[in-house]
Amino acid sequence: MSEITTAASMPAASASAAGRRGRGAVALTVARYALALFLGFSGIAKLIAHESAIESFGRMGWSHGAMYAIGGLETAGAIALLVPVLAGVAAIAFCGLLAGASIVQLTLLDPPNAVMPAALIVVMVLIARDRRAGTAALIALVRRGA
């Protein structure tokens, strides 16, 4: 018998679980691309020193160097979210970056706006969880090369 099982030959509970998994994977892929676009533009705004980024970092009392560093991290992470084998690692890294953004919003900027980065952490955790096999393969590849 074939190793491949079709949805038609699965028991009803398994078929519905596979359908949910398929819809969930599609939703996470769409979220991954949308977040890559959003965070990529956010990073580029910092890298080109857009006036809104300069104003925000000025309100925090942070230097232009910090703005460029965070912009570079956001842009690199956005690109990594688009590469399937790097997406899990990027999502984990973004959890740290977004936690920092949430804390900054709470303490230095506008506390009600801290909800957005906190909500994005939840989505990043889901992406990291969905991409855990790729992350494990990447870690194994790095360990073999080291």
Side-chain angles (χ1 to χ4, degrees), residues 39-57:
L39 293 165
F41 280 126
S42 175
I44 289 170
K46 292 172 181 75
L47 289 175
I48 65 169
H50 189 271
E51 66 182 54
S52 64
I54 291 172
E55 190 268 328
S56 290
F57 277 80

Side-chain angles (χ1 to χ4, degrees), residues 14 29 38-39 41-42 50 53 72-73 97 104 106 115 117 124 134 138 146:
S14 296
T29 299
F38 171 74
L39 293 165
F41 280 126
S42 175
H50 189 271
L73 290 171
L97 196 63
V104 165
L106 279 171
V115 172
M124 289 297 182
L138 182 62

Side-chain angles (χ1 to χ4, degrees), residues 55-79:
E55 190 268 328
S56 290
F57 277 80
R59 282 179 55 204
M60 293 184 294
W62 290 11
S63 70
H64 284 19
M67 178 180 68
Y68 293 129
I70 292 171
L73 290 171
E74 285 180 348
T75 304
I79 293 167

Side-chain angles (χ1 to χ4, degrees), residues 66-112:
M67 178 180 68
Y68 293 129
I70 292 171
L73 290 171
E74 285 180 348
T75 304
I79 293 167
L81 275 176
L82 298 174
V83 180
V85 73
L86 298 176
V89 174
I92 293 166
F94 267 124
C95 286
L97 196 63
L98 290 166
S102 190
I103 291 167
V104 165
Q105 286 290 341
L106 279 171
T107 59
L108 299 176
L109 295 174
D110 303 314

